[in-house]
Amino acid sequence: MAIRQLPPNLINRIAAGEVVERPASVVKELVENALDAGASRIDVTVRGGGLQLICVSDDGAGMSARDLELAVERHATSKLEGEDLSHILTLGFRGEALPSIGAVARLAITSRAQDEAEAYRIDVDGGRQSPLKPAARAAGTDVEVRDLFYATPARLKFMKSERAETAAISDAVKRLALAHPEVAFSLSNGERTTLRLDACPPGLLDHALTRLGRVLGSEFVEDAMHVSAARGPVRVEGYAGLPTLHRPNGLSIYLVVNGRPVRDRLIAGTVRAAYGDLVPRGRYPLVTLFVDIPPDEVDVNVHPAKTELRFRDANGVRSLLIGAVREALAAAGHRATASLAQEALQHMRPPGEA
Ligand SMILES: Nc1ncnc2c1ncn2[C@@H]1O[C@H](COP(=O)(O)OP(=O)(O)OP(=O)(O)O)[C@@H](O)[C@H]1O
Ligand SMILES: [Mg+2]
């Protein structure tokens, strides 16, 4: 067969196979876009496990008519300055998500830029783009995705149950919400709200902890130990659960790097190792770590879903994290002993003395 250039529609559909694996990946991409747009509240509605409908609304920067048309084009992004891939501070950077979603679903975006009077809507249906239409909306953006994967029946066959897809969506929203406590989030199934997270204003002491409590349960935060360490420009802050709280898999170890929730088996293993035999074999502690690292020390461009990254000095980062978690554990142990000693002292005081 002779070599031929693929038509853009097909190219987008192939790219979509990597970028949007399942409904939860669509939700993740859309919420990331809302966060990159500086939203202070993000509302997500999902029906039929996300295959019927996914709608993400934000009050962020919005888009002008021109930007809205460009947003659904492949490799069109406002987030990459120049040609430098080593200073990425936004969650998106490739200009792939919207065109990929538009290639495999019915996509409608309605948006109004903060400083503009008019809102516009654009539709992309299985890769076919319709002209812009005037619309009505306050500043911000609504993205509606209907009939996901209708244009790629092969992918549709691989979907799990509605329940499983809904659970994966909820997990994706929670991970992003955990990483961004200053933003209010809600998740609804069209009939009722299944998750509502108020904004925890930055600057408030332990605002991250309030959000953690809402997402991971109050049981976790009540006794969570504060983790804090730095080495050079790399900082880690977070909370480590008591060793008596554990889960059957490493998903209970949440890692956020420069505002991006990431999965890193090596780091999860490292954190697990820090607990040693304090946690039963085959079980994992509940830990949330926020790492701040200069962007040129990490490569986020290693996985199509942007959920993995590579540290330039992986060993350095791992030893920083293991040290920080160990220190928090030791400090908690110390606190327990200290309060016991306090109690013993009380008993030794002569009667009548306060
Ligand atoms: N909710 C939104 N509010 C404002 N602008 C948006 C929103 N969603 C998308 N955009 C604009 O559309 C562009 C394209 O979005 P898209 O998600 O396709 O790519 P990206 O975020 O730049 O990169 P990536 O493919 O890594 O997500 C963005 O760069 C941004 O300028
Ligand atoms: Mg994006």
Side-chain angles (χ1 to χ4, degrees):
M1 230 195 304
I3 298 180
R4 69 181 177 110
Q5 198 77 44
L6 297 177
N9 243 351
L10 194 53
I11 295 176
N12 282 344
R13 221 174 279 167
I14 292 169
E18 297 194 329
V19 175
V20 291
E21 197 195 342
R22 59 193 297 192
S25 357
V26 172
V27 172
K28 171 188 159 289
E29 291 297 335
L30 299 182
V31 171
E32 287 185 353
N33 279 347
L35 288 167
D36 281 343
S40 64
R41 82 162 295 120
I42 301 175
D43 297 302
V44 183
T45 307
V46 179
R47 276 203 214 109
L51 291 173
Q52 231 179 320
L53 171 77
I54 292 169
C55 180
V56 176
S57 296
D58 70 62
D59 61 355
M63 281 174 273
S64 65
R66 178 189 167 272
D67 280 356
L68 193 50
E69 275 186 314
L70 274 176
V72 296
E73 293 290 336
R74 193 126 196 260
H75 309 308
T77 179
S78 57
K79 301 174 192 176
L80 213 52
E81 266 185 44
E83 296 180 359
D84 194 355
L85 276 173
S86 68
H87 278 86
I88 294 169
L89 276 171
T90 45
L91 297 164
F93 53 88
R94 311 158 305 180
E96 292 256 37
L98 292 179
S100 300
I101 296 166
V104 297
R106 300 184 217 280
L107 169 71
I109 311 176
T110 309
S111 190
R112 186 173 134 197
Q114 289 288 351
D115 45 7
E116 280 178 36
E118 307 290 333
Y120 295 91
R121 169 182 168 134
I122 196 162
D123 287 81
V124 185
D125 192 333
R128 276 185 315 275
Q129 190 176 324
S130 313
L132 274 191
K133 288 186 222 101
R137 198 203 186 282
T141 305
D142 296 319
V143 183
E144 267 180 35
V145 179
R146 289 178 195 276
D147 305 329
L148 181 62
F149 298 133
Y150 91 94
T152 47
R155 180 57 62 96
L156 199 53
K157 281 198 200 119
F158 280 94
M159 291 305 113
K160 302 213 172 92
S161 68
E162 180 176 329
R163 222 174 124 182
E165 296 302 339
T166 306
I169 288 170
S170 175
D171 185 62
V173 173
K174 283 180 178 170
R175 280 176 189 273
L176 283 157
L178 210 59
H180 295 273
E182 73 287 357
V183 179
F185 283 86
S186 78
L187 175 62
S188 137
N189 60 13
E191 282 159 20
R192 60 188 183 86
T193 304
T194 51
L195 179 74
R196 185 186 297 283
L197 300 167
D198 295 334
C200 308
L204 265 186
L205 189 67
D206 280 344
H207 69 291
L209 194 60
T210 314
R211 173 63 54 96
L212 284 178
R214 294 298 311 278
V215 175
L216 299 179
S218 52
E219 197 193 10
F220 169 66
V221 296
E222 268 159 25
D223 297 307
M225 298 165 276
H226 190 210
V227 176
S228 178
R231 180 183 295 162
V234 186
R235 288 188 36 203
V236 56
E237 291 281 331
Y239 291 91
L242 280 187
T244 44
L245 275 182
H246 40 75
R247 298 283 183 269
N249 57 50
L251 292 178
S252 59
I253 297 170
Y254 293 83
L255 180 68
V256 177
V257 178
N258 292 349
R260 181 191 307 278
V262 291
R263 292 213 179 114
D264 189 310
R265 297 182 70 160
L266 266 182
I267 287 191
T270 303
V271 171
R272 172 65 190 85
Y275 277 71
D277 57 4
L278 289 171
V279 166
R281 252 170 176 271
R283 305 285 295 184
Y284 292 80
L286 255 78
V287 180
T288 308
L289 298 175
F290 298 85
V291 178
D292 269 329
I293 185 163
D296 57 348
E297 294 276 317
V298 281
D299 184 3
V300 288
N301 191 24
V302 294
H303 188 267
K306 299 173 284 182
T307 49
E308 289 169 21
L309 43 72
R310 223 169 268 152
F311 293 103
R312 210 164 69 170
D313 175 17
N315 284 337
V317 173
R318 281 175 66 196
S319 76
L320 174 68
L321 298 190
I322 200 168
V325 172
R326 276 212 181 121
E327 199 176 297
L329 282 167
H334 178 68
R335 200 173 60 209
T337 345
S339 69
L340 272 180
Q342 203 66 39
E343 214 177 277
L345 265 178
Q346 299 263 326
H347 287 297
M348 276 156 45
R349 286 210 177 106
E353 205 184 295

